[in-house]
């Protein structure tokens, strides 16, 4: 006959979970669920359960109250708490109050074993009830053991010697039963520095055993296990048993809680406090800090830039080396253990006190200069960290920790990275700039949904020898309804920062193909149009489908579309880049490497890249007449490209002297203001039909 189980549980889903766990454990039971005191008391009388399972917290009716009713109306019926959490002292208290066991809901797998043990305990107790009074002392002993079957159980005599132990005690101490029996409890079970304390607890329990004191205490065993102990006196002790010590091992629970606290408050990579913990500790520090007009509390947020470029060139291990070295250099300046934190992937926050005036003005650049010193990332390989910082002051900029850190963050976003002044102090004006950035981001999202704001302009790529336009580079412009015309320099960085480069790149490619289709419909023979790809768009999963769909939608020949990828983006994952390029080339699309010479090149990969052209960056062309190094680099890139059978397009050509120098170097195609600025599509017709003058 299946056992009858009464379940006190207000949540049907948890009740179903109990039923499933019992079935999985091989227990088929007649289970009745109740969720109120009235139904519970009625079930005790009419249902007569073999075992009771109870949640600890039932609305309007606690598990402890249910246990007390069991003690009055159905004493001896096994009672197991099945609950979400149970504190250390409360767990001991429930066992002492008559609970058979407790099972945490996040460890439901042990429920069948607990129910089986409780049922077996109940059956054996029934057998013992039929025993004669001569077995009373043995029955008391076994009752105490079975009531705490999952806990450590140790029986002591009136001198504190161990007389009996259970298997849990052996597991906890890593000592066999034969060794433990006869030892003083405090010598066997506690660390040396706790011996006197535990001896006092045991003697106090023995002296008060007839009053059954409600006492519990923590204990650390020689095996580094944390145990919460309580004592229970024996009513009959003719064999010398005087005291039962019950212990619950909470070591793993405490470790889990500590780990959860660490994950919630610290960065697992650097072991530094995270943003939340930093704000908490900064708030406490501000409250405790004595007012002093001569000093100021500085909150500095430091950003480490171009981290991905380091990873692309030297591997992810180099990123960790650079960030670890930055942390070590910052530790010199922290004035409190929790006032240095990693608040984002590549951002750190530091707080310290310093004198007002010249001290502060000198200290900020000094700290940053130390951070910018070279870092070793391998054998004879060094990198220079690129850092900048935002600074806020307490109480000048804010009186609370959260706003104080946000002020430093606002200043960080406005601090330049490519000048000598690589830090910024917070001012209310910076908040206005941040709001403007957020507004611009929102407006850009809307612009991508309309057809009248974003516009493509085209700059011709000219054959030096013939003056013919052999290509057009598509460049996006924004006709902003509030700010008028915006150049890419104004909104492209914003698009990169807020994750809009992929949809923006998709819009540019579609618009360029639409224009090619219009020119074809007008009977014009358009040259190849170049479209820039962002790193995210190039490596994204939808690129091939996007390109194929766009070409089909506008009936554009693939050979009329050239996709430009920056050198740095192509080197993030060279093998993946080669695979994507080969797929695009297989479709008939041309590939160009843009801004060549400014990234981290690996020539062994470059020769494997299936590309058609290299674009010589205008940074080298600009000073080609006055800077011997730029001239040498330009000549070397052109010569290398020719050897690899690649075309070269020199960008930024503005003077005839630059043109002649590039022509002498072997460059055949250029683009720049010497021929034309980027212009709207309708203004491209003249140079599409008529060659430029030959200079």
């Amino acid at each position: 006959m299946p056992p009858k189980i009464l379940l006190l549980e207000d949540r049907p889903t948890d009740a179903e979970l109990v039923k499933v766990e019992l079935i999985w454990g091989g227990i088929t039971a007649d289970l009745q669920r109740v969720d109120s005191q009235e139904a519970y008391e009625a079930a005790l009388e009419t249902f007569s359960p073999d075992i009771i399972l109870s949640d600890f917290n039932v609305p309007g009716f606690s598990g402890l109250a249910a246990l007390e009713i069991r003690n009055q109306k159905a004493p001896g019926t096994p009672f197991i708490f099945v609950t979400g959490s149970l504190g250390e002292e409360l767990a001991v208290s429930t066992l002492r109050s008559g609970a058979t066991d407790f099972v945490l809901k996040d460890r439901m797998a042990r429920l069948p074993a607990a129910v089986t043990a409780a049922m077996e305990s109940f059956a054996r107790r029934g057998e013992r009830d039929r025993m004669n009074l001569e077995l009373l002392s043995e029955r008391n002993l076994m009752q105490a053991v079975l009531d705490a079957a999952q806990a450590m159980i140790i029986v002591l005599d009136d001198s504190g010697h161990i007389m009996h132990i259970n298997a849990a005690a052996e597991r906890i101490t890593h000592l066999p039963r034969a060794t433990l029996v006869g030892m003083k409890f405090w010598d066997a079970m506690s660390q040396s520095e706790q011996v006197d304390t535990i001896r006092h607890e045991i003697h106090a329990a023995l002296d008060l055993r007839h009053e059954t004191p409600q006492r519990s205490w923590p204990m650390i065993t020689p095996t580094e296990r944390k145990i919460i102990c309580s004592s229970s006196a024996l009513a009959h002790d003719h064999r010398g048993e005087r005291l039962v010590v019950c212990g619950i091992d909470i070591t793993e629970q405490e470790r889990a809680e500590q780990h959860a606290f660490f994950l919630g408050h610290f960065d697992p990579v650097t072991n530094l406090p995270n943003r939340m913990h930093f704000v908490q500790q900064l708030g406490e520090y501000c409250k405790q800090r004595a007012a002093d007009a001569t000093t100021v509390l500085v909150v500095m947020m430091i950003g480490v830039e171009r981290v991905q470029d380091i990873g692309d060139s030297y591997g992810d291990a180099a990123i960790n080396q650079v960030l670890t070295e930055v942390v070590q250099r910052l530790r010199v300046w922290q004035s409190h253990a929790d006032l240095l934190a990693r608040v984002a992937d590549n951002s750190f926050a530091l707080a310290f006190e310093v004198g007002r005036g010249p001290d502060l003005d000198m200290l900020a650049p000094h700290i940053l200069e130390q951070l910018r010193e070279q870092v070793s990332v391998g054998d004879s390989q060094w990198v220079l960290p690129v850092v900048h910082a935002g600074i806020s002051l307490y109480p000048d900029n804010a009186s609370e920790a959260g706003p104080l850190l946000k002020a430093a963050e606002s200043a960080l976003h406005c601090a330049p990275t490519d000048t000598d002044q690589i830090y910024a102090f917070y001012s209310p004006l910076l908040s206005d700039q941040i709001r403007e950035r957020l507004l611009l981001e929102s407006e850009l999202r809307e612009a991508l949904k309309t057809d009248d704001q974003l516009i493509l302009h085209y700059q011709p790529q000219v054959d030096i020898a013939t003056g013919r336009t052999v290509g057009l580079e598509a460049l996006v412009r924004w006709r902003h309804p509030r700010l008028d015309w915006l150049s890419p320099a104004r909104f492209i960085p914003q698009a990169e920062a807020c994750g809009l480069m992929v949809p923006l790149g998709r819009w540019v490619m579609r618009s360029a193909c639409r224009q090619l289709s219009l020119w074809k419909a007008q009977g014009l023979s358009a040259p190849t149009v170049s479209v820039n790809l962002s790193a995210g768009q190039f490596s994204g999963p939808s690129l091939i489908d996007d390109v194929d769909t766009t070409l089909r939608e506008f009936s554009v020949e693939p050979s009329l579309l050239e996709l430009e990828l920056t050198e740095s983006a192509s080197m993030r994952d060279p093998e993946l880049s080669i695979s994507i390029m080969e797929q695009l080339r297989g479709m008939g699309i041309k590939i160009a490497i843009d801004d060549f010479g400014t990234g981290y090149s690996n020539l062994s990969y470059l020769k494997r890249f299936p590309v058609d052209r290299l674009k010589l960056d205008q940074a080298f062309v600009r000073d080609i007449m006055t800077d011997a190094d730029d001239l040498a680099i330009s000549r070397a890139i052109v010569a290398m490209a020719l050897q690899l059978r690649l075309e070269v397009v020199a960008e930024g050509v503005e003077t005839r002297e630059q043109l002649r120098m590039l022509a002498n170097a072997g460059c055949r195609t250029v683009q720049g203001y010497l021929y034309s600025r980027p212009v709207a599509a309708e203004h491209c017709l003249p140079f599409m039909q008529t060659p430029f003058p030959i200079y």
Side-chain angles (χ1 to χ4, degrees):
M1 184 175 180
K4 294 189 290 183
I5 299 178
L6 178 61
L7 174 62
L8 177 58
E9 174 59 68
D10 63 302
R11 295 182 179 178
T13 55
D14 285 0
E16 188 63 22
L17 178 61
V18 168
K19 185 176 181 180
V20 169
E21 287 291 344
L22 291 174
I23 293 174
W24 284 354
I27 299 176
T28 302
D30 180 8
L31 190 145
Q32 179 174 327
R33 182 178 75 89
V34 295
D35 59 3
S36 66
Q37 180 174 348
E38 295 75 15
Y40 175 76
E41 292 182 353
L44 288 178
E45 296 180 4
T46 61
F47 184 57
S48 300
D50 297 315
I51 186 170
I52 301 169
L53 307 180
S54 174
D55 193 358
F56 193 81
N57 295 302
V58 178
F61 184 41
S62 72
L64 286 177
L67 178 59
E68 181 60 30
I69 293 173
R70 190 285 316 250
N71 292 340
Q72 297 173 4
K73 295 189 175 184
T77 301
F79 190 104
I80 298 176
F81 280 111
V82 182
T83 185
S85 62
L86 206 60
E88 302 167 0
E89 294 186 4
L90 198 53
V92 174
S93 176
T94 59
L95 294 176
R96 292 185 56 79
S97 298
T100 309
D101 203 347
F102 64 90
V103 175
L104 299 180
K105 289 182 178 180
D106 60 354
R107 298 181 182 178
M108 288 289 285
R110 62 175 294 269
L111 178 62
V115 169
T116 300
M119 293 291 293
E120 292 175 352
S121 170
F122 183 73
R124 287 194 294 269
R125 191 161 59 249
E127 291 294 326
R128 288 195 302 276
D129 289 342
R130 292 189 290 273
M131 295 175 66
N132 59 45
L133 294 178
E134 294 179 356
L135 300 176
L136 182 60
S137 61
E138 286 79 2
R139 184 179 60 195
N140 286 342
L141 171 62
M142 292 303 298
Q143 183 69 51
V145 172
L146 293 173
D147 280 347
Q150 299 301 317
M152 176 188 78
I153 307 296
I154 297 180
V155 181
L156 307 180
D157 64 14
D158 56 4
S159 298
H161 290 90
I162 297 174
M163 298 185 69
H164 305 283
I165 67 167
N166 67 349
E170 290 184 285
R171 290 194 302 270
I172 288 172
T173 60
H174 294 175
L175 293 174
R177 188 184 309 267
T179 301
L180 289 171
V181 172
M183 293 181 65
K184 296 281 190 180
F185 176 87
W186 44 86
D187 291 332
M189 302 302 299
S190 64
Q191 293 185 344
S192 57
E193 59 270 19
Q194 288 187 311
V195 167
D196 291 341
T197 301
I198 302 305
R199 182 192 295 116
H200 173 77
E201 294 287 353
I202 295 298
H203 283 311
L206 287 168
D207 291 342
L208 299 172
R209 62 182 180 274
H210 298 301
E211 300 177 19
T212 316
Q214 298 292 327
R215 299 175 63 85
S216 65
W217 69 89
M219 178 179 70
I220 305 296
T221 71
T223 55
E224 302 292 335
R225 309 298 295 180
K226 184 170 184 180
I227 312 297
I228 298 299
C229 295
S230 66
S231 59
S232 178
L234 295 174
H236 302 277
D237 53 5
H238 71 274
R239 296 192 312 178
E241 298 97 339
R242 293 296 182 90
L243 199 66
V244 175
V245 178
C246 304
I248 297 177
D249 188 345
I250 63 168
T251 308
E252 299 305 328
Q253 179 181 340
E254 278 210 344
R255 288 175 181 171
E257 291 174 354
Q258 292 169 359
H259 185 60
F261 177 84
F262 178 83
L263 292 179
H265 292 77
F266 291 86
D267 169 49
V269 177
T270 62
N271 292 332
L272 290 176
N274 62 14
R275 187 187 189 104
M276 179 185 72
H277 192 56
F278 178 80
V279 170
Q280 292 174 348
Q281 296 303 312
L282 182 62
E284 292 298 321
Y285 189 79
C286 290
K287 291 177 183 178
Q288 299 169 6
R289 181 175 176 270
D292 185 351
T294 64
T295 64
V296 62
L297 179 63
V298 178
V299 176
M300 178 183 290
M301 185 176 284
I302 299 99
V304 184
E305 300 297 324
R306 303 177 189 171
V307 171
Q308 189 56 53
D309 288 344
I310 295 173
D312 292 341
S313 301
Y314 303 108
D316 291 341
I319 295 177
N320 292 334
Q321 285 178 272
V322 170
L323 296 181
T324 299
E325 182 60 29
V326 168
V327 170
Q328 293 304 317
R329 295 174 185 179
L330 286 173
R331 287 191 186 279
V332 176
W333 301 100
Q334 68 181 115
S335 56
H336 186 272
D338 293 314
L339 294 185
L340 171 62
R342 187 178 187 182
V343 294
D345 285 347
N346 302 321
S347 298
F348 301 88
L350 172 68
F352 56 89
E353 289 192 64
V354 67
R356 289 183 179 272
D359 289 348
L360 179 57
D361 293 335
M362 294 173 61
L363 191 55
H366 179 61
I367 293 176
L368 293 175
E369 280 303 316
Q370 289 186 325
L371 298 180
R372 295 173 76 184
E373 292 180 0
Q374 63 183 13
V375 176
S376 172
V377 294
D379 296 338
S380 302
Q381 293 179 321
W382 301 82
V383 297
L384 294 173
V386 179
V387 298
H388 60 146
I391 301 170
S392 62
L393 307 177
Y394 172 86
D396 302 27
N397 298 137
S399 58
E400 296 182 357
L404 197 61
L405 185 60
K406 285 185 177 295
E409 190 168 23
S410 296
L412 174 68
H413 291 321
C414 297
T417 59
D418 55 357
T419 66
D420 292 335
Q421 183 75 10
I422 57 174
Y423 63 95
F425 283 90
Y426 173 78
S427 69
L429 178 62
L430 294 181
S431 296
D432 296 337
Q433 294 175 358
I434 297 299
R435 281 192 291 271
E436 175 63 22
R437 287 185 182 182
L438 294 175
L439 177 59
L440 195 65
E441 174 187 334
S442 176
E443 292 171 336
L444 181 56
R445 292 182 187 276
E446 289 301 315
L448 286 168
K449 300 176 184 178
T450 65
D451 295 324
D452 60 349
Q453 293 189 33
L454 295 175
I455 298 174
L456 284 187
H457 283 189
Y458 300 86
Q459 187 172 37
Q461 298 169 339
V462 182
D463 185 297
I464 297 176
T466 65
R468 293 180 57 253
T469 298
V470 295
L472 298 170
E473 181 176 5
L475 301 165
V476 65
R477 301 290 187 267
W478 186 2
R479 186 163 53 196
H480 196 284
R482 180 170 56 89
L483 302 173
D484 203 12
W485 285 101
L486 296 182
S487 71
R490 178 72 183 276
F491 63 88
I492 291 297
Q494 184 71 13
E496 291 175 338
C498 65
L500 289 178
M501 280 304 296
V502 172
L504 180 59
R506 189 180 295 119
W507 182 93
V508 170
M509 181 169 60
R510 287 179 53 80
S511 298
C513 288
R514 182 186 291 111
Q515 186 60 54
L516 282 168
S517 180
L518 290 174
W519 280 331
K520 180 181 179 181
Q522 296 170 8
L524 297 172
S525 179
T528 301
V529 174
S530 299
V531 173
N532 290 281
L533 293 180
S534 67
Q537 188 180 10
F538 177 72
S539 60
S542 64
L543 174 65
I544 303 299
D545 288 341
D546 286 345
V547 173
D548 184 61
T549 300
T550 302
L551 292 174
R552 292 177 183 275
E553 179 181 354
F554 296 107
S555 301
V556 172
E557 290 293 327
S559 60
L560 292 178
L561 180 64
E562 180 179 71
L563 299 179
E564 295 185 9
L565 178 68
T566 64
E567 182 183 5
S568 295
S570 67
M571 290 304 300
R572 286 190 174 182
D573 188 338
E575 295 298 337
L576 176 62
S577 296
I578 292 172
S579 174
I580 296 173
M581 290 177 185
E582 287 176 343
Q583 293 180 68
L584 293 171
R585 282 286 297 276
M587 298 167 62
I589 295 168
K590 297 177 181 177
I591 307 292
I593 300 295
D594 194 16
D595 298 338
F596 190 79
T598 63
Y600 297 92
S601 299
N602 185 319
L603 296 182
S604 65
Y605 280 111
L606 179 61
K607 70 179 183 180
R608 294 175 56 197
F609 283 167
V611 300
D612 300 282
R613 298 202 292 182
L614 299 182
K615 300 195 72 177
L616 179 63
D617 189 78
Q618 60 183 331
F620 303 116
V621 175
R622 184 183 303 113
D623 297 322
I624 197 172
M625 301 300 299
T626 57
D627 191 316
D629 291 337
D630 284 347
L631 175 59
I633 292 172
S634 299
R635 286 175 171 171
I637 291 175
V638 172
M640 178 189 66
L642 294 176
Q643 289 295 319
L644 294 174
R645 294 182 295 279
L646 301 176
E647 297 180 33
V648 177
V649 180
E651 299 179 298
V653 177
E654 299 182 357
T655 68
R656 296 183 183 182
E657 290 76 14
Q658 292 172 334
L659 182 68
R660 283 194 293 270
M661 190 70 72
L662 289 165
N664 291 336
C667 183
R668 299 172 184 173
T669 308
V670 299
Q671 72 180 82
Y673 289 178
L674 177 63
Y675 291 102
S676 173
R677 292 175 176 271
V679 296
E682 59 269 22
H683 298 305
C684 293
L685 299 182
F687 52 72
M688 287 171 56
Q689 297 173 332
T690 305
F692 287 98
I694 300 175
Y695 297 110

